[in-house]
Amino acid sequence: MRKTILHSFLILFFFLALSFSATAQRNGQHRPQFHFSPERGWMNDPNGLVYYEGEYHLFYQYYPNATVWGPMHWAHAVSKDLMHWEDLPIALYPDSLGYIFSGSAVVDEFNTTGFQRGKEKPIVAIFTYHNMEYEKAGRKDRESQGIAYSLDKGRTWTKYAHNPVVKNKGDEDFRDPKVFWYAPKKIWCMTLAVHDHAEIYVSKNLKDWKYASAFGKNDGAHGGVWECPDLSRYIASDGKEKWVLMQNLNPGALNGGSGVQYFVGNFDGEKFTNDNPSDQIMWFDHGTDNYAGVTWSGLPANRNIVIGWMSNWVDYAQSVPTVDWRSATTIPRDIKLVKTESGYRLTQLPVKEFKSLVDQSSNLIRNESSLKDSIILQNGKLQHCLNLTFNLSDASPTEVGFKLSNALNEQVVIGFDLKKNQCYVDRTNSGKHEFSTLFSAIHHADYVFGKQITVKALIDVASIELFVDEGKLAMTEIFFPNTNFDKLTLFQQGGSATNVKSELIPIQSIWKK
Ligand code: FRU
């Protein structure tokens, strides 16, 4: 009897300790409250983004045994609303062919693979095998492409028996397959990143692939290795079908380190052609902390949703000061292709589902005033969506902006420099920075302002995502203050007081209580 009581007591203690440690993890310092982050371990790129039967799947590069990069797995989470994520067991483990690097997933609607058994359509993951043994032996053909499939809505996975499905011809960097269905020709197309360009392969069944074309050796930015390409179809604002290649590169981004550029053009099922001159560079995000972004497959034709890894690969991803876990994703964003005077351009905003996170039980702070008296929040918990409209017509200031700060005088300053036509994020005094000499800096983006500037900023514990003028310009930046920022101030320089409307909307945590 005594033994049973002791036994029950120990079990209870074990579960209490477990739940206490989980809560500590979720509320630990720098833990994002409304962005996805792994409870423990290392995360990098989002992978295998696919929508199937009411669920958005998010797989990601994951190493469970440390908070730095290591043997890569595909971890897995699902969501019904793109905001709240349920962790599922790891989907793909490394095997004798290599680590499981980045890739994509598709629903095989017409059972082209022949994998289907029951009523569920096969979900097929297409990923890179990275063979460390080959790498150690100095072999160039260390990367190849493999596939795996699930017949139970992504819950369990079987690797294809005849992997790899795309062998390597001797290219050291040969990875990150993004696959999509090209309906006019009823074929699968794959974009692959091959060191300094993207290659396109085509297939009828996801198993047998044929090389089709290459793009980009002389196009866009080349300050680093091309990784994680995403070629997707868009219906532009003028109703035309266009194709956009989002192309990640590491390093070589606008403000240093890793980042995402994009190309707009046409695609005929084999070849992508760039609408713009080869030397034109267009950045998808102008901040330092949005990398490896790719889009969901399986969505309606007029919807393109992207999610990125909110860190900077070469500069500091592996040394940011979080304990037990590293990295978060950006908020999923709806991307649109808009026809402008200078050609087609991408705009991006948080997906409409983000509205469901508005915390109705806390106060929304709405203000319309002059920029002279300007503290919007003091001693508050800064976990908000900030909407601002600066009306510049009469006041002609040289600069307007806002600042997040704390009692330690640490701050992140976001400014709109109307003289230089530049938007900037200054994190030179934003708290912890010793982990990298590259962290503490001011990042700039050129942007021509009109007479009114609208800004949406998602402010979480360790990040800000900035969307200017309905997402024409985006900047994503992370930070690590020693105590959370709890004050928000608007500022201006030069001119008379500018009229500004502000709305500070509290956002709920996505962690279960
Ligand atoms: C991008 C990347 C990919 C690769 C993966 C490895 O961040 O380097 O090119 O597949 O990460 O984890």
Side-chain angles (χ1 to χ4, degrees):
M1 178 66 178
R2 247 205 219 140
K3 246 188 177 168
T4 332
I5 294 177
L6 184 68
H7 200 189
S8 323
F9 186 74
L10 280 175
I11 291 178
L12 184 69
F13 180 76
F14 175 75
F15 279 109
L16 279 177
L18 209 65
S19 97
F20 178 75
S21 112
T23 314
Q25 295 284 340
R26 292 157 186 188
N27 296 324
Q29 205 184 13
H30 311 306
R31 170 67 83 179
Q33 289 302 303
F34 61 87
H35 289 86
F36 176 81
S37 58
E39 195 156 325
R40 284 186 173 71
W42 162 265
M43 172 176 86
N44 54 296
D45 314 357
N47 295 150
L49 307 175
V50 61
Y51 178 75
Y52 180 61
E53 292 201 345
E55 289 180 324
Y56 294 90
H57 293 262
L58 165 65
F59 300 86
Y60 53 93
Q61 290 285 281
Y62 187 56
Y63 183 41
N65 302 339
T67 50
V68 289
W69 191 87
M72 283 290 109
H73 302 57
W74 272 30
H76 190 193
V78 284
S79 172
K80 290 194 161 51
D81 62 2
L82 287 164
M83 294 294 132
H84 299 89
W85 297 94
E86 181 196 342
D87 289 318
L88 292 179
I90 289 177
L92 299 173
Y93 285 79
D95 61 45
S96 62
L97 294 178
Y99 294 178
I100 314 294
F101 270 21
S102 287
S104 51
V106 291
V107 177
D108 184 13
E109 196 69 44
F110 308 113
N111 194 23
T112 61
T113 50
F115 289 148
Q116 189 167 348
R117 293 288 169 268
K119 82 169 191 359
E120 294 300 341
K121 306 280 180 208
I123 303 182
V124 182
I126 308 96
F127 54 87
T128 297
Y129 268 122
H130 184 97
N131 192 316
M132 284 310 266
E133 300 309 316
Y134 286 13
E135 179 167 322
K136 281 184 206 139
R139 284 175 64 162
K140 289 214 152 159
D141 58 347
R142 58 186 186 169
E143 293 179 343
S144 61
Q145 320 314 319
I147 61 175
Y149 59 94
S150 168
L151 303 177
D152 56 0
K153 299 165 109 185
R155 271 34 184 199
T156 58
W157 289 83
T158 309
K159 290 193 183 118
Y160 179 50
H162 306 291
N163 278 333
V165 293
V166 183
K167 295 207 175 79
N168 191 320
K169 317 175 294 284
D171 290 299
E172 211 171 0
D173 299 301
F174 187 67
R175 57 178 177 268
D176 309 338
K178 176 77 168 87
V179 171
F180 58 91
W181 178 247
Y182 186 72
K185 290 189 175 164
K186 296 199 172 58
I187 48 166
W188 296 104
C189 300
M190 172 196 290
T191 38
L192 264 190
V194 189
H195 192 68
D196 59 357
H197 64 279
E199 291 186 357
I200 293 168
Y201 289 73
V202 292
S203 170
K204 286 199 159 29
N205 56 11
L206 294 170
K207 297 170 181 167
D208 306 302
W209 291 91
K210 199 175 95 218
Y211 170 86
S213 66
F215 168 78
K217 237 184 183 26
N218 300 308
D219 294 68
H222 281 277
V225 176
W226 280 24
E227 299 183 315
C228 304
D230 181 307
L231 179 62
S232 294
R233 176 177 179 262
Y234 288 72
I235 305 299
S237 58
D238 60 358
K240 292 227 167 79
E241 174 188 287
K242 297 297 298 179
W243 289 78
V244 174
L245 174 67
M246 290 219 282
Q247 183 58 66
N248 290 275
L249 88 164
N250 174 41
L254 175 69
N255 279 296
S258 53
V260 199
Q261 60 179 327
Y262 71 95
F263 303 93
V264 182
N266 296 312
F267 180 63
D268 62 5
E270 293 214 332
K271 198 173 164 42
F272 172 77
T273 40
N274 189 358
D275 273 2
N276 295 306
S278 329
D279 60 355
Q280 183 164 339
I281 299 173
M282 298 191 289
W283 296 106
F284 180 64
D285 193 306
H286 295 70
T288 43
D289 299 299
N290 187 354
Y291 191 54
V294 276
T295 60
W296 258 276
S297 71
L299 298 179
N302 56 357
R303 205 160 183 213
N304 299 80
I305 306 177
V306 68
I307 194 168
W309 170 33
M310 201 153 53
S311 199
N312 192 304
W313 218 163
V314 270
D315 283 4
Y316 42 72
Q318 299 195 81
S319 56
V320 294
T322 53
V323 182
D324 297 329
W325 56 278
R326 271 212 179 94
S327 308
T329 62
T330 66
I331 214 74
R333 301 176 185 178
D334 272 316
I335 328 176
K336 304 255 175 269
L337 189 65
V338 179
K339 175 100 196 246
T340 72
E341 278 167 13
S342 18
Y344 292 98
R345 294 289 181 274
L346 290 182
T347 64
Q348 55 190 304
L349 282 172
V351 287
K352 58 180 189 307
E353 289 81 351
F354 178 69
K355 291 209 174 75
S356 68
L357 288 189
V358 171
D359 184 354
Q360 308 287 357
S361 67
S362 305
N363 284 340
L364 179 150
I365 305 172
R366 197 172 269 144
N367 199 343
E368 176 161 4
S369 63
S370 82
L371 256 185
K372 295 290 173 195
D373 86 55
S374 57
I375 297 173
I376 300 296
L377 181 80
Q378 195 155 21
N379 299 326
K381 184 172 164 204
L382 204 42
Q383 184 183 308
H384 285 87
C385 170
L386 170 68
N387 292 322
L388 292 173
T389 309
F390 297 101
N391 288 303
L392 304 170
S393 336
D394 309 321
S396 60
T398 53
E399 189 176 326
V400 293
F402 63 98
K403 183 163 99 177
L404 324 176
S405 58
N406 61 17
L408 304 172
N409 280 328
E410 294 167 344
Q411 60 180 32
V412 170
V413 186
I414 292 92
F416 306 99
D417 186 326
L418 306 159
K419 278 256 154 72
K420 291 191 189 146
N421 273 315
Q422 267 185 346
C423 172
Y424 70 84
V425 178
D426 177 349
R427 58 178 190 196
T428 48
N429 182 25
S430 61
K432 295 177 188 162
H433 60 87
E434 302 75 11
F435 54 89
S436 162
T437 50
L438 299 168
F439 189 79
S440 174
I442 307 178
H443 301 134
H444 295 97
D446 290 337
Y447 184 76
V448 180
F449 299 103
K451 280 291 163 203
Q452 189 181 67
I453 308 174
T454 66
V455 178
K456 183 183 283 298
L458 305 192
I459 305 163
D460 201 341
V461 171
S463 62
I464 184 160
E465 295 173 87
L466 204 63
F467 305 95
V468 180
D469 291 344
E470 294 300 306
K472 287 197 186 101
L473 177 87
M475 278 184 98
T476 305
E477 301 263 336
I478 56 175
F479 42 73
F480 303 94
N482 284 293
T483 64
N484 286 355
F485 292 131
D486 60 356
K487 187 173 172 186
L488 179 79
T489 322
L490 308 183
F491 69 86
Q492 84 166 60
Q493 269 159 32
S496 52
T498 301
N499 172 273
V500 58
K501 275 191 204 152
S502 66
E503 198 180 46
L504 193 61
I505 306 169
I507 301 300
Q508 294 167 31
S509 171
I510 56 171
W511 293 100
K512 284 200 191 98
K513 295 251 161 53

